[in-house]
Amino acid sequence: MENTATEGLKQEYILEMVNISKEFPGVKALSDVTLRIRPGTVHSLMGENGAGKSTLMKCLFGIYHADTGEITLDGNKIQFQNSRQALDHGVSMVHQELNQVRQRSVNDNIWLGRYPEKGMFINEGKMYTDTKAIFEDLGIDIDPRQKINTLSVSQMQMVEIAKAVSYNSKVIVMDEPTSSLTEKEVDHLFRIINKLRKKDVSIIYISHKMEEILKISDEVTIMRDGQWIATKHANELTTDLIINMMVGRDLSNRFPEKLNEPGEVILTVKNLTSEFQPCFKDISFDLRKGEILGVAGLVGAKRTEVLEGLFGMRKVSSGKITLHGKEIKNTMPQKAMSNGFAMVTEERRVTGIFATLHIDFNSIIANLSSYVGRFGLLSNKNIKKDTQWVIDSMRVKTPSQKTTIGSLSGGNQQKVIIGRWLLTKPEILLMDEPTRGIDVGAKYEIYQLMNTLAKEGKGIIMVSSEMPELIGVTDRILVMSNGRVADIVDSKTTTQEEIMRLSAKYL
């Protein structure tokens, strides 16, 4: 896809955030950060998890109030007291974590809190017509009457983007908008962004995907440890320069050297089939001791569903799972766990964390029975020890074990989840998009961790939508298409083109 970034930058600023500071108990999240956004441009905001990107945007959006600093929108000083004020003044935000009412329709989710009325009743016809018009303008093929919980994660993401556009915003913040999108869907999103840019809408784009940043951005601001590091024109930057400024160290090798040596087959899956929608059919593969097996495919290939079937989260109608030569039946997650399986799910906010509870609870919940003493009481000493192990080994940035996990950045939440499952000492680790929404430094740490676990003999199955990641981290890649196995390829010899060709294969 061609680089569509505008060639000439406009001189005036639609938004200025000057010397913004924000402190929470035990941690200074922002320190004198300045961000200036030109109208009709894409301004990317980059930094490791915990760098302060989301905190800065929450100060803009009225979720947090800055301790010091000044915000100017369209020449007027502003300080939104809540997100409703921000929306009313033309600032909208597509959050990284999807907070949708899943039992309601697409229509309801887009117009919630501002339903069009006809007398005493909601004007359903106008709501449908207006939603349809927005979708057609953006090229989104979703029925507005469809329930949110029937959509794929990528479709939900598109609905959130359409909702932000529906406010006729001057500034739209997009926080990791492509974290669950395929390459084709990313192209679609970029076409939407370019339409908005032509309408003089400014986009603040938060992502950890270097190639995207360089492709779509006009300017890039880089943050580290709550501080402004640099603002550069995208044409002045390279991936290595961005990484160096983000992490303060050289990460020229995006993937660590592979040290694992796959051994004998420990897991065999034969003709695994689920006839319950969304379904998959005749999934067969082997997993070796100390092997990292990637799972590739386009959205709708049923990659997540296969992992859910292996972990007992989804009913399997036929097929056989054999562990160490013995047939097992993972009829529910508890049974899978007792058989040595663990699973890091794709949507951490929905199925991964207890957002309002502390890090210690979120760290030990999958292994709770091991902390029960002789009298049926939990051992606080052991809980504290293991929670600290999760924080230290995963390098979780947090003031304390008693910090609410929902207040952490997405990457730090993911680190806690991975640490939680490692406490169960699994033999088979299922990881669904484990680095989704995680910065480059944290990704490297997770890759190293996976490498170490594989070297120790663990078998890892990893679903990822990032082909460079699959090729760089795994030993082999199972490519899926339409709920079936298209092929299994060697990571050392395959190419992105081959994986894409197999993913698009009609089966």
Side-chain angles (χ1 to χ4, degrees), residues 425-480:
K425 296 180 171 56
E427 186 170 11
I428 308 294
L429 183 58
L430 310 175
M431 307 181 83
D432 194 355
E433 303 284 3
T435 64
R436 176 187 170 199
I438 292 179
D439 64 75
V440 64
K443 277 186 178 183
Y444 194 86
E445 291 171 357
I446 289 175
Y447 299 150
Q448 284 180 314
L449 175 65
M450 292 171 66
N451 206 339
T452 300
L453 292 171
K455 188 180 178 185
E456 293 172 357
K458 309 289 187 190
I460 299 173
I461 303 175
M462 177 182 76
V463 168
S464 176
S465 297
E466 295 186 38
M467 285 189 283
E469 177 175 82
L470 284 172
I471 293 171
V473 173
T474 66
D475 298 293
R476 293 183 300 146
I477 302 169
L478 183 153
V479 186
M480 291 189 63

Side-chain angles (χ1 to χ4, degrees), residues 64-336:
Y64 295 153
H65 297 144
D67 298 330
T68 61
E70 185 176 283
I71 304 175
T72 304
L73 178 68
D74 221 1
N76 301 310
K77 283 187 185 178
I78 52 104
Q79 185 176 1
F80 301 133
Q81 298 304 306
N82 51 56
S83 55
R84 181 75 224 189
Q85 283 187 7
L87 291 167
D88 290 341
H89 285 80
V91 177
S92 59
M93 187 170 179
V94 180
H95 295 273
Q96 178 183 348
E97 305 293 350
L98 301 174
N99 295 308
Q100 295 167 315
V101 186
R102 295 183 172 230
Q103 295 301 320
R104 304 298 299 176
S105 70
V106 170
N107 268 336
D108 287 329
N109 275 270
I110 287 182
W111 302 104
L112 188 66
R114 51 186 180 130
Y115 289 121
E117 296 177 350
K118 190 175 184 180
M120 296 175 59
F121 302 98
I122 294 172
N123 190 336
E124 298 278 356
K126 178 174 171 52
M127 189 161 63
Y128 175 83
T129 303
D130 290 351
T131 304
K132 196 72 177 170
I134 294 168
F135 282 2
E136 286 176 359
D137 183 49
L138 300 179
I140 296 173
D141 184 21
I142 298 174
D143 184 351
R145 294 164 296 199
Q146 200 169 344
K147 277 191 177 180
I148 285 287
N149 63 3
T150 65
L151 303 180
S152 67
V153 176
S154 60
Q155 287 175 315
M156 293 179 194
Q157 192 85 12
M158 285 298 181
V159 170
E160 284 297 286
I161 291 166
K163 181 177 180 178
V165 170
S166 74
Y167 283 95
N168 295 317
S169 303
K170 305 169 189 173
V171 177
I172 300 178
V173 180
M174 295 187 178
D175 192 354
E176 294 288 350
T178 66
S179 58
S180 58
L181 304 186
T182 64
E183 190 171 339
K184 184 178 178 182
E185 289 165 330
V186 171
D187 285 348
H188 182 195
L189 173 63
F190 284 3
R191 287 195 295 273
I192 291 173
I193 288 175
N194 284 321
K195 277 188 177 182
L196 295 172
R197 183 155 46 188
K198 288 174 183 176
K199 294 178 182 178
D200 236 19
V201 176
S202 300
I203 308 292
I204 301 176
Y205 191 92
I206 302 175
S207 176
H208 296 117
K209 298 180 180 179
M210 305 293 171
E211 294 82 2
E212 289 180 7
I213 291 294
L214 296 175
K215 192 175 288 183
I216 195 64
S217 306
D218 295 297
E219 290 182 288
V220 180
T221 288
I222 294 153
M223 296 178 63
R224 184 171 72 235
D225 298 329
Q227 296 181 314
W228 175 91
I229 299 299
T231 297
K232 301 278 188 182
H233 192 290
N235 292 341
E236 300 172 1
L237 294 170
T238 64
T239 298
D240 289 343
L241 277 172
I242 293 173
I243 291 173
N244 189 265
M245 286 189 282
M246 278 176 57
V247 302
R249 60 188 184 277
D250 185 21
L251 276 181
S252 53
N253 295 319
R254 291 175 62 181
F255 306 104
E257 180 186 356
K258 292 189 64 61
L259 303 173
N260 60 311
E261 295 180 3
E264 72 276 11
V265 172
I266 55 174
L267 178 72
T268 299
V269 177
K270 189 73 174 173
N271 300 124
L272 198 68
T273 298
S274 174
E275 296 173 352
F276 306 92
Q277 292 294 334
C279 60
F280 52 83
K281 189 172 183 180
D282 291 332
I283 305 299
S284 298
F285 63 88
D286 292 328
L287 179 69
R288 295 175 173 82
K289 182 177 181 179
E291 180 181 33
I292 303 175
L293 176 68
V295 182
L298 303 174
V299 168
K302 311 299 187 293
R303 299 165 300 168
T304 293
E305 286 78 4
V306 170
L307 260 60
E308 290 175 346
L310 290 172
F311 195 60
M313 294 171 64
R314 179 173 295 276
K315 191 173 181 181
V316 172
S317 48
S318 63
K320 183 186 288 188
I321 303 173
T322 305
L323 183 66
H324 294 303
K326 178 182 177 183
E327 184 177 357
I328 60 170
K329 294 188 181 296
N330 291 343
T331 52
M332 60 182 68
Q334 291 86 344
K335 185 69 174 174

Side-chain angles (χ1 to χ4, degrees), residues 379-430:
S379 169
N380 288 326
K381 179 182 176 182
N382 289 338
I383 289 173
K384 187 174 182 180
K385 177 173 72 96
D386 282 358
T387 301
Q388 197 58 46
W389 178 86
V390 169
I391 291 171
D392 293 342
S393 61
M394 298 292 106
R395 300 187 185 182
V396 179
K397 291 183 179 178
T398 176
S400 76
Q401 296 186 7
K402 292 299 182 181
T403 300
T404 304
I405 195 171
S407 67
L408 299 182
S409 67
N412 283 306
Q413 291 173 11
Q414 189 78 325
K415 290 178 185 178
V416 173
I417 293 169
I418 294 172
R420 168 205 298 168
W421 285 112
L422 292 182
L423 287 175
T424 69
K425 296 180 171 56
E427 186 170 11
I428 308 294
L429 183 58
L430 310 175

